[in-house]
Amino acid sequence: MKLFDRAKQILIAGFCINLCIGILFTWSVFKKALVTDLGWSNAEASMPYTIAIITFSISLLLAGIIQDKFGPRRVLITGTIISGLGLIASGYATTPTQLLISFGVLAGAGIGFAYACLAPAAMKWFHPSHRGVVNGLIAAGFGLAGVYLAPLITRLISAYGIGYSFVLLGAALLAIAVPLAFTINNPPVDYQPEGDDSKTVKQVTVANEINWRGMLRTPQFYAIWFMYLCASSTGLMIIGNITSIASVQTDMNGAAHLVVILALFNTFGRVGAGMLNDKIGGMRTLALSFVLQIANMVMFPHYHGEMGMMVGAALAGVSYGTLPAVFPSLTANFYGLKNYGTNYGVVYTSWGVSGFIGPVIAAFAVDSTGTYELAYIASVVIMSAALIVSFLTKPISGVEDKDEDKDDDIDTDMQWQAAN
């Protein structure tokens, strides 16, 4: 069997694992049940999701460091096991604090460990000109999870209650994702991916492999981090609250189909943005996404009917889906693949911070004013700032390093870098 066939196997396995661990995109279904069935406040029901996002980003950084040194398989197996056990433990949680620990900490950490290994392994098996598409397809599994999980969770909660639903989901994750994790590994050291180096794409070769210390010396890192923070805050705010928004804004009950629509368009956004990234470059792709999200946030207060909510969810999904397809590619293009796990883990801390900002802004807005309009206004402001930064960020032309460990910070292997 050809090694390129093995590349496709890695891609498919990574996609399927993300289908299992993408439960974060269905939290609004759990949140609504916690509020309506158990009488929790919006803030109490949002906090496990917020803590899970923060834990996810921290564990992704740790997992990136470990898998750069030891490979993805053991880290991935550990992550899938922890996430499954965390979901099962959530089924026995009876207080907000217990759910913070079981879902927010355990499940969040396990999902982060698993997610951290999939894109790095897949990108190493494919030609650099396909990085955007590979990232988009891998990330698509995570987004697509909501398409089948939202209606499934709604039915499980209706039939068995919240606790048993968590247990069933955790057991299913252990049965499916753990065996798949055993199939993921890095290619051999001398492996050369198939591809056409003469293919005309909006990319150029550069000579830098940069580790996290060298990355922190570049202004591009801080631009990427800030843009990721702003865009994720808005996206996660909508993802974590879409059913509550529909209930408050349109008196819709049982709006789980909005989660499905959001997840479906989130998936389209990931794949489409990955393809667009390979054609026009990452920064241009991000700018288009930011403009779309700004327009959507301006219009969101005016979405009062079911059709309006569906349009808002779809646009939010497309815009947010751009991020996990483009930002990993930008990180690899700017700083190389040798230290990608650690580098992207550092970049991804912005997503963890955004998981606190977006949902908290939404919870504060609705608990204090009864509507989400204040959250929409805040989103327009931060997305406008991200758009400005996207216009100002240029490719890396070189990095000065005056430390004694210069050779460790920047290597001279040929890599690819997106051009604006």
Side-chain angles (χ1 to χ4, degrees), residues 106-395:
L106 289 180
I111 294 171
F113 263 70
Y115 189 83
C117 301
L118 300 176
M123 281 194 293
K124 291 172 184 176
W125 284 93
F126 284 88
H127 192 266
S129 62
H130 301 306
R131 274 185 191 157
V133 172
V134 169
N135 273 302
L137 290 172
I138 286 288
F142 204 72
L144 194 61
V147 173
Y148 78 93
L149 280 176
L152 174 62
I153 292 171
T154 300
R155 291 185 180 183
L156 288 175
I157 292 176
S158 177
Y160 305 108
I162 299 175
Y164 196 54
S165 299
F166 273 122
V167 173
L168 288 176
L169 291 168
L173 193 154
L174 290 174
I176 299 171
V178 175
L180 287 173
F182 279 88
T183 70
I184 303 291
N185 65 347
N186 285 331
V189 177
D190 59 349
Y191 172 69
Q192 294 295 324
E194 295 182 8
D196 184 5
D197 288 325
S198 65
K199 184 179 179 181
T200 302
V201 291
K202 291 288 184 177
Q203 293 180 333
V204 294
T205 55
V206 295
N208 289 333
E209 278 279 2
I210 306 172
N211 73 6
W212 68 272
R213 292 184 296 272
M215 181 177 69
L216 293 180
R217 296 187 180 95
T218 66
Q220 286 86 351
F221 162 75
Y222 299 96
I224 291 173
W225 196 95
F226 179 77
M227 288 186 292
Y228 212 162
L229 172 71
C230 295
S232 294
S233 295
T234 299
L236 292 174
M237 181 195 75
I238 299 299
I239 290 171
N241 294 277
I242 187 62
T243 56
S244 298
I245 290 172
S247 178
V248 170
Q249 204 159 305
T250 67
D251 294 325
M252 290 174 58
N253 293 314
H257 64 288
L258 293 180
V259 179
V260 176
I261 291 172
L262 198 155
L264 190 60
F265 279 86
N266 183 5
T267 303
F268 293 155
R270 292 169 186 237
V271 177
M275 298 172 64
L276 197 59
N277 174 86
D278 291 339
K279 295 294 183 182
I280 69 172
M283 288 301 171
R284 288 194 181 101
T285 304
L286 286 177
L288 291 174
S289 171
F290 295 164
V291 169
L292 181 62
Q293 191 70 294
I294 290 171
N296 193 35
M297 289 299 101
V298 170
M299 290 301 300
F300 232 98
H302 307 290
Y303 296 145
H304 294 299
E306 182 175 2
M307 183 58 67
M309 282 287 106
M310 292 171 65
V311 170
L315 294 179
V318 170
S319 301
Y320 181 78
T322 301
L323 311 183
V326 175
F327 280 108
S329 300
L330 279 177
T331 304
N333 292 338
F334 281 10
Y335 306 109
L337 279 178
K338 180 180 179 181
N339 306 288
Y340 172 83
T342 303
N343 289 345
Y344 188 62
V346 175
V347 169
Y348 208 73
T349 58
S350 61
W351 191 83
V353 177
S354 74
F356 178 81
I357 295 175
V360 167
I361 288 176
F364 173 79
V366 71
D367 285 342
S368 60
T369 68
T371 72
Y372 287 91
E373 291 190 14
L374 183 62
Y376 302 147
I377 295 172
S379 296
V380 170
V381 173
I382 63 176
M383 289 303 303
S384 298
L387 179 62
I388 293 172
V389 172
S390 73
F391 290 137
L392 299 176
T393 305
K394 303 301 179 183

Side-chain angles (χ1 to χ4, degrees), residues 27-40 157 162:
W27 183 255
S28 63
V29 179
F30 283 112
K31 178 191 172 186
K32 187 174 184 297
L34 291 170
V35 173
T36 58
D37 297 351
L38 301 184
W40 293 15
I157 292 176
I162 299 175

Side-chain angles (χ1 to χ4, degrees), residues 92-115:
Y92 297 95
T94 57
T95 67
T97 300
Q98 291 174 351
L99 195 58
L100 285 179
I101 297 172
S102 60
F103 185 85
V105 177
L106 289 180
I111 294 171
F113 263 70
Y115 189 83

Side-chain angles (χ1 to χ4, degrees), residues 3-50:
L3 284 174
F4 190 71
D5 294 330
R6 176 62 177 152
K8 294 178 182 178
Q9 293 172 11
I10 295 290
L11 183 61
I12 293 171
F15 176 86
C16 292
I17 290 173
N18 268 343
L19 277 177
C20 296
I21 63 175
I23 195 169
L24 284 178
F25 284 101
T26 65
W27 183 255
S28 63
V29 179
F30 283 112
K31 178 191 172 186
K32 187 174 184 297
L34 291 170
V35 173
T36 58
D37 297 351
L38 301 184
W40 293 15
S41 69
N42 279 285
E44 288 174 333
S46 296
M47 195 54 63
Y49 174 67
T50 298

